[in-house]
Amino acid sequence: MKIRLTLNGEKITLDASRSDSLLDILRRAGYTGTKRGCETGDCGFCTVLVDGDAVKSCIRPAARADESAVETIEDLGTQADLHPIQAAFVDNAALQCGFCTPGMIMRTKALLAENPDPEKAEVREALSGNLCRCTGYENIVSAVADAADRLAAGDRSDAATDGGRQRKQCTACDYEGVQE
Amino acid sequence: MSRPDGPSGDQNAKSTSSTEPGSADGDTPDDVSSAAGRDAVSTAAEKRDARKIVTGEAKYTADYGGQFPDLAEAAVRRSDIAHGVVTDIDTSDAEAIEGVYAVLTPDSAGMPDGPYTSAGQSYPEPSPWDLRVLRRRVRYVGDPIAAVAAKDTDTARAAARAIDVTYEERPAVFDPDAAVSEDAPRIHDPDAVENVQSGADYDRNVEAHLAGEIGDVEAAFAVAAERDDRSVVETTWETPYQSHCVPEPHTTIARRDEDDRYHLVSSTQVPYHVRRQLAHLFDVPIRDVRVTKPQIGAGFGSKQSMVIEPIALALAIAADRPVKLEATRAEEFHAMRFRRPSRGRIRSVVTDDGDLQAIDMSVTTNSGAYGPHGMTAAVSVGKKPLPLYAGTPNLRLDATAVHTNLPVAGAMRGYGAPQGHFAVETHIAEIAREIGMDPIAFRRRNLIGEGDVETASAILKSGDGHGRRIRSCGIDECIERGKAAIGWDDVDQPPEDHRHRACGVALATQGSGIPGDELGAAHIKMNEDGSFILQTGAVDLGTGADTVMAQIAAEVLGARPEDILVQPSDTDVSPFDYGAYASSTTYVTGQAVRKAATEARDQLFAVVARLLDEPVDDLVAHDRAVHAESSGSSVTLEELGYASIYGDDAREQVMGEASYSTDESPPPFAAQFADVTVDERTGEFEVHELVCAVDCGAAINPDLARGQITGAMHMGYELAAGGELTFDEEGRPNVAGFRDYGMPRTADQPPLTPILVETHEPTGPFGAKSVAEVPTNAVPPALSNAIRRAVDVRITDLPITPEKVKSALDQRRESADDV
Ligand code: FES
Ligand code: FES
């Protein structure tokens, strides 16, 4: 069957079988930044945004994603032009092997869109579906707080998630305010 | 910045640099003894893969799949019974499924059938060769019997399920004590195993047995029996199976390449050992195998074992196309490798003054069905922690590795030491209570220190001359800083009478590589723009090893870490390396990098001496230039890059290479603290904080070092109070996924405070020792000790649960009522 998505702001149609998950079709289409750690919805490595909500793509049937706006890690910044959340993860040493990182960042993006200034406990609660084996979580929690500050220092309205359409503006403005 | 048309300025002219030296007092960068004189190695340089990780561009093994249009996916059919013989395998239904390219069984043509070990150790492996790639004789629920390659994962899995397996079941045994009894079922046939380990006795399911003694332990106990000023203390302990929970499941892409060689892209910690082991198994020359390590989603020891590579390669040969085999999470939880369960007993003799006279430790580990790392990990349960109290005149260690019909234990971060530290550090706490001494004062009195020569780590070696001199030891400062951070001296009791708060402490040590059994090597060459390309066999599993290697080279060459490009490990390209295990990478491969970079720097100095007409002795490298100290003139690395390659008179490629091996393995030290409140009505406990102060020598890249400490404490906390793999009465795993297993999440991971206590290890690169394993070791005993101090019950079997605390409290009350 054909799945029509707005993927990172672009209209795209992907082939899927009935048993395919959203994760399967994304990875097959080359969006390999989204990781597979369990296929049962328990690790969070496959987290993407679907219509702005953080979703574990391994347990979202591809068919159900038809006609939705999907945003993956590939839509955030580039290595030279990091999105503020990505920059916060780098600067807070919030990663080691990095296998959990794209999912953590997408989860963080959804959290901060909804709650731009979360308490530490709220961060821990919001990330509790995303496992990390390497860091002990300390620096990840700090990175999320730092990302909130960076976004607040930029233009708040651009932090909203819309499947990526406004992202470029958002990144651009955050750069001036926050980066280096 | 590089420019296509050459460096700025006249490359042959003397340029007088106004840049002040970055390193203090003109110390040459590789000859410093304190952080004050270090430059690149002491910065929290950005992890070199950080940006590609956060953009999702870092490529792990599975992400390479898209490069192979004809890639097949694979699945493995595993035993559903714990013990027996496969009498029939009917693959006809599987083969009939459309899109199935190959179905392999133990009897398939070309299937390797010789025994091997998955251990991923240096040659000859101490582990027994007791495995076959696919198995008719099955010894645990999860043994691989058949494998399928097909057009996609769904098809491969469907075909694997469609294989009809008939078994003749045999009685199974799951408890290590039961396994050694006369009438227990025999799990291995000694004639089918090549085992060089000592004390193997397959008639009693004993994989290995070793014992060693220093002094005369029995005599010390005899004296204690006679004298009033001696106490004898005895404790027991037990630890469970623990999963590494590697984030990236074991994944391999295997293929025959255009040169008719076997090429594997694999999530491995030991590319060179995998290459050798595969060449042996498939009976081809080593040169015909290439193993490439891409980005790795962590290892923690699980990827030291060669678990899936042989199956993937056999399928690639049979299907005649690239094959990707990616373990499922359920397989990760029962069919890969685990931390081995342990149990045992410690007795000791102590004087009323608090002097340890004797420690007698016996250990039984459960290897599960096969023997990788069985003997070496079992003895490590004693050998790793005992050096803390190496001044004890009489020491005995007796270690037995036993087979059961449960999953296969392997190497895991700490390698026996977490089990051993739980045993020893809860025991030490009990001794202090017994003689009424403060637990820290008692430890201090018996603790190892700088300048000591300890033999405990060589307790199993016969003869003298195995002493290890301790050249750096910051454990006193670790204790002090940890105490201050946790608030040891001022614990506020909660207002409720039934809640009690206390801190617990436990100390830890480890090694830095396997003494006399490591090799690291490095090659570094200069580019025109003053940057360098560094090749090492060091295997960065996500730890940041490549960043550390770059920092070491940068320190020597006066470059910035980002001027050193590090190539990932690939057996065709990288110099040899034993791989990432035993806390060896920084200490061993780091020294190879330092030596190679020094060789390159010497070549640079020769060029500069010519250019500036200055004596080599007067030259130093820092701030991306080589400086003549007396005259103050300097040449930038970029100018040197061009001058060395395009110079008018002499031209040469500046490049250095070096190997490094050593008999040294200096111990890092750590003091672990836990702050806990226990509810004496329910047994529930809340861990407020875990603090670990670590002496890792000089901390190369403090950010990365702290990350190792917090990550290790997380894993230690799981062993202490979280995850446990259990099995039903048929030996089937109760844990199939993360939701069945108590890996701490953000919401339930107690806060973790890492502290770096820097010392200078003279044998290490820029004073460094290891850091990644030692903080894994002491969370369980620190937590057990804290609970003991809070509510006066001792939990001796892990994980510590509210139910166990409650039942211990109930028992204590009952026995108090009886009095
Ligand atoms: S892969 Fe989706 S939650 Fe684990
Ligand atoms: S960085 Fe490795 S799992 Fe989070």
Side-chain angles (χ1 to χ4, degrees), chain B residues 511-534:
Chain B
S512 301
I514 306 173
D517 193 26
E518 297 281 358
L519 171 63
H523 178 274
I524 188 163
K525 63 173 181 167
M526 190 177 203
N527 299 317
E528 293 106 304
D529 63 355
S531 65
F532 295 83
I533 292 178
L534 172 64

Side-chain angles (χ1 to χ4, degrees), chain A residues 45 94-101 104 131-135 140, chain B residues 247 297-298 300:
Chain A
F45 303 159
L95 51 88
Q96 283 179 32
C97 80
F99 209 72
C100 69
T101 310
M104 283 283 182
L131 297 174
C132 174
R133 192 50 157 175
C134 302
T135 62
I140 292 176
Chain B
F300 312 120

